[in-house]
Structures are given as structure tokens and as C-alpha cells.
Amino acid sequence: MSFDLASRLAERHAAHLFRLRPLLESPQGPEVVVDGKPLLAFCSNDYLGLASHPEVIRALQQGADRWGVGGGASHLVIGHSTPHHALEEALAEFTGRPRALLFSTGYMANLAAVTALVGQGDTVLEDRINHASLLDAGLLSGARFSRYLHNDARSLASRLDKASGNTLVVTDGVFSMDGDLADLPALCAAARQKDAWMMVDDAHGFGPLGASGGGIVEHFGLGLDDVQVLVGTLGKGFGTAGAFVAGSEELIETLIQFARPYIYTTSQPPALACATLKSLELLRREGWRREHLQRLIARFRQGASEIGLQLLDSPTPIQPILIGDSQRAMQLSALLRQRGILVGAIRPPTVPAGSARLRVTLSAAHSEAQLERLLQALAECWPLLAPEVNDA
Ligand SMILES: *Cc1c(COP(=O)(O)O)cnc(C)c1O
């Protein structure tokens, strides 16, 4: 007996689901070099254009000069340094929560928060299309795990009726593959009625959403009583890396004491925290980035609908073009690439079967002229796409 990896890989090829990693040979930004070719990219999550910002780069360099490179140990041993602590305090102030806790990745922050809060005898209720890290966290927790219909407060309410033990409701703030907003006012109200806690992972909302970039909770004006567990990631709108959980004093202390993905890992490099402190300052202060992004979003939606493309109900920089069939999504992506434009095709299992799409993302770093190039290329490529074969 042996592991038959070759046939698993062959099956994935045959289903048009084989993944390749484009090799990025330049810094992140609208104009990139990928696999040796200059391309105009519309697929990063660097929504505010901070990933290669000169001031953020300088903060990282100066941070390394002052604090060295490696974190050296876990936070509980001797890896919790002054820049980490300063960033936590700044994030708490930014989110209007009593405390925030820094993590190395969003994946780990989600595993940590869910598994520290619920276990056997408890219930975790999640949106069907939540990010994989939230779904994995729910499964790992050992709590009774159930998924409600996408963004449907009624579906949530009927599951809340059957819940037992401590109950945690978990949702993306901005849905990562669709770009729509969680209906938090309704979802939070349903949770509150049953004394359930609400956990929101706003990886894609911090930066683009809210008057000062405070994400979906700022957008809807929701406080600690509505959203007890607020997660943000730093690798998207912030342009750096890592993540945080913000909430009450007791929540954060519970994570420090009990969350295994917090305890058993080395702290992120302190210089990275220095860089994030700078990007947080830019994210809050430079409102023009959000305003420019809003103009790009509006123009993209108008131009795309004139071409006849099917968009989703998204007010965010995530603007997927729904295709359906994985092969056709790949084909459209390839046609765009021939014209110097990079947009990734997102296929199952990342999205539900039959809903392959091009996930267009816009950034404040894109110019209006660059956006027109994308629309022009889409107008040329869309009619060239092979007609849909209905083999479902
Ligand atoms: C990207 C993402 C994560 C993971 O964050 P990383 O810091 O990249 O590990 C978690 N949740 C959502 C909704 C995301 O989009």
C-alpha cells in the first residue's frame, strides 16, 4: 500500500482545478512582474496600496535596526516586545475596544478565538461561506457546529433556537470571495436575543470600510455589546502581516491564558509591528485612499455592467465577475493575461461548485487609467469566451 498522490493530482488536473502559483518577481502593487512578464494586476488584497508604501518600508527598516529581526520566543516567554505591545494598544484604541491581542496570522487568530471560547457541549454557528479558517476553527473546537444560510438572520435564528451551551455566532464581515457585507445589525440582534456571542472576522473591511477605516463595525456603528469578538488581519488593507483580536479585558486575558495558537508559537518580528503602527496611522489619516477606491468601485461596476458581465452585490473593492464553469473562468483569466492583465480565477472548493469567478480586486494604488485598461480588456475578451457547455 502507498499513498496514491499521482492519481489525486491527475484528477485535480482533469477537473480544471489544479492550482499553480504565479511567481511574483516585483514588489506588490498595480504593476507587477509575474513569471517574467510585466502585468497590470487586479488580484491582491492590498486595498489601500500600503504594502509597498515608502513610509511603511522605512518603519520596517528602522524597526529592524532597533529591535533586530526574530521575535525570539513566544509572547508568554520573552517574545512580547515593546513594539508588539504598542501596536496592541493602538489597535485597541483604533477599534474602540478595551484591549487587542496580536497574532502572527489571521488563520491563527481565528483558530485561537473560536477554540478558546467554545468546546464540547457548546455550539458554534457559522455562515455557510465563511472563510476556511473560521470553518476549520469551528470543526477543531469540538463544539456542535452548524452552518446557516448565507447572510440570513432567519436561518441563524432557527439554529439559535436549537443551540445548547455557550453559543458563538461567527461571520466574515466582508465576505472574502463575494465582497458583500454581513448583515450585522440583523445577525447581532438575533444573537443577542439568545445570549449568544458574535464574532466577526473583518479581514477585508478594515481599511476600505468605515469613515476612518475601522471596518464593518464602524460602518454600522456597532460596539462591544453587539460584536464581542472582533478579528482583523493585517496582511490586507494594512499592507503588512499578522492579525488581531479586539474585545473586552476578560476576552483578551482568556485568549492569553487558554488559546493554544497564541501560546505555542513565536511572536511575529517586532519590526513588523513597527511597520504596522505606521500603516495604521496612514490607514486612519489618509481618507483620500478610501474616497479614490470608492470612485474606482463605482466606475468598475458601471463599466462591467455595460459589457454585460455578471457582478455580485458588492460595495467593496472585491468585485467578482461570476462565470460559473471553472474552465471558462480559467479561459477568461488567460485571455486577460494575454493582454497584460492579471486577474485570478477562483474555483471550487474555494467557492461553491458551479460558481467559479474572476475575483477582481481594486486598490487605492490603481489609477483611473489603469482601471480603464481593465475594462477595455474585458470588453475585448468577454465576446471571445467559449459558450457555456451545459454538462451539469
Ligand atoms: C485572509 C483571511 C484570513 C486569514 O488571514 P491571514 O493573515 O492571511 O492568515 C482570515 N479570514 C478572512 C476572512 C480572510 O480573508
Side-chain angles (χ1 to χ4, degrees):
M1 273 300 287
S2 76
F3 294 90
D4 190 3
L5 304 185
S7 46
R8 273 174 77 188
L9 293 170
E11 272 169 35
R12 197 151 171 105
H13 259 301
H16 303 286
L17 295 177
F18 200 81
R19 263 73 166 165
L20 293 173
R21 300 176 303 170
L23 183 63
L24 179 63
E25 296 163 321
S26 66
Q28 199 59 263
E31 289 181 353
V32 291
V33 179
V34 170
D35 298 326
K37 292 218 187 69
L39 293 169
L40 178 56
F42 290 90
C43 44
S44 88
N45 300 315
D46 179 25
Y47 303 120
L48 297 186
L50 295 174
S52 306
H53 192 289
E55 286 187 53
V56 179
I57 294 170
R58 198 170 328 117
L60 183 77
Q61 287 167 341
Q62 289 173 348
D65 286 342
R66 173 89 203 269
W67 303 100
V69 178
S74 68
H75 283 272
L76 295 185
V77 178
I78 185 127
H80 183 65
S81 64
T82 303
H84 297 133
H85 201 72
L87 177 56
E88 289 182 346
E89 288 178 341
L91 289 167
E93 195 264 323
F94 173 56
T95 55
R97 263 70 182 163
R99 256 182 108 176
L101 190 69
L102 190 58
F103 287 82
S104 295
T105 73
Y107 203 119
M108 292 171 72
N110 285 336
L111 290 187
V114 175
T115 59
L117 289 173
V118 290
Q120 260 186 18
D122 297 324
T123 304
V124 60
L125 302 175
E126 301 208 20
D127 191 290
R128 294 192 71 82
I129 67 164
N130 269 354
H131 189 264
S133 59
L134 294 171
L135 300 172
D136 291 356
L139 292 171
L140 182 65
S141 71
R144 232 179 66 176
F145 179 52
S146 165
R147 301 204 277 177
Y148 57 87
L149 296 179
H150 175 51
N151 221 357
D152 187 332
R154 280 197 188 185
S155 168
L156 169 61
S158 78
R159 281 165 175 74
L160 280 165
D161 283 338
K162 295 177 216 129
S164 55
N166 290 325
T167 302
L168 187 65
V169 177
V170 184
T171 183
D172 282 22
V174 172
F175 289 90
S176 55
M177 294 300 135
D178 291 33
D180 55 333
L181 304 189
D183 183 7
L184 285 189
L187 297 168
C188 293
R192 194 175 321 111
Q193 275 214 335
K194 297 285 173 184
D195 287 325
W197 269 22
M198 197 74 203
M199 170 168 163
V200 175
D201 171 2
D202 204 18
H204 301 272
F206 281 108
L209 277 186
S212 59
I216 193 162
V217 293
E218 186 181 22
H219 175 82
F220 284 124
L222 300 171
L224 195 57
D225 290 343
D226 307 293
V227 175
Q228 289 80 7
V229 188
L230 179 61
V231 179
T233 70
L234 303 172
K236 288 160 186 164
F238 284 85
T240 58
F244 64 90
V245 177
S248 69
E249 182 67 40
E250 281 180 359
L251 170 70
I252 300 308
E253 206 49 53
T254 299
L255 297 181
I256 294 173
Q257 301 303 321
F258 300 111
R260 296 166 64 88
Y262 182 75
I263 299 167
Y264 297 104
T265 195
T266 302
S267 63
Q268 65 167 220
L272 197 50
C274 299
T276 304
L277 276 163
K278 176 53 73 178
S279 78
L280 173 60
E281 183 192 317
L282 295 167
L283 175 151
R284 297 178 80 168
R285 190 181 67 207
E286 298 193 341
W288 65 265
R289 293 177 188 275
R290 278 178 284 284
E291 289 156 23
H292 177 59
L293 201 43
Q294 279 311 316
R295 281 194 298 276
L296 294 177
I297 293 166
R299 170 62 191 135
F300 175 79
R301 292 185 66 82
Q302 178 211 11
S305 68
E306 280 165 16
I307 299 167
L309 301 171
Q310 189 181 348
L311 299 181
L312 300 178
D313 182 22
S314 164
T316 69
I318 302 168
Q319 291 292 331
I321 300 170
L322 197 61
I323 306 291
D325 175 68
S326 292
Q327 197 177 355
R328 293 180 81 234
M330 296 294 289
Q331 201 189 4
L332 183 56
S333 176
L335 286 166
L336 288 170
R337 196 157 167 162
Q338 286 164 13
R339 285 161 179 77
I341 292 194
L342 186 64
V343 185
I346 308 283
R347 293 162 284 168
T350 308
V351 292
S355 74
R357 64 201 62 186
L358 291 202
R359 181 173 179 269
V360 171
T361 53
L362 301 170
S363 166
H366 286 121
S367 67
E368 276 156 31
Q370 286 170 330
L371 178 58
E372 294 308 318
R373 276 183 59 197
L374 169 64
L375 288 168
Q376 180 61 39
L378 282 167
E380 286 169 27
C381 297
W382 182 240
L384 302 178
L385 202 60
E388 195 147 12
V389 219
N390 217 333
D391 57 0

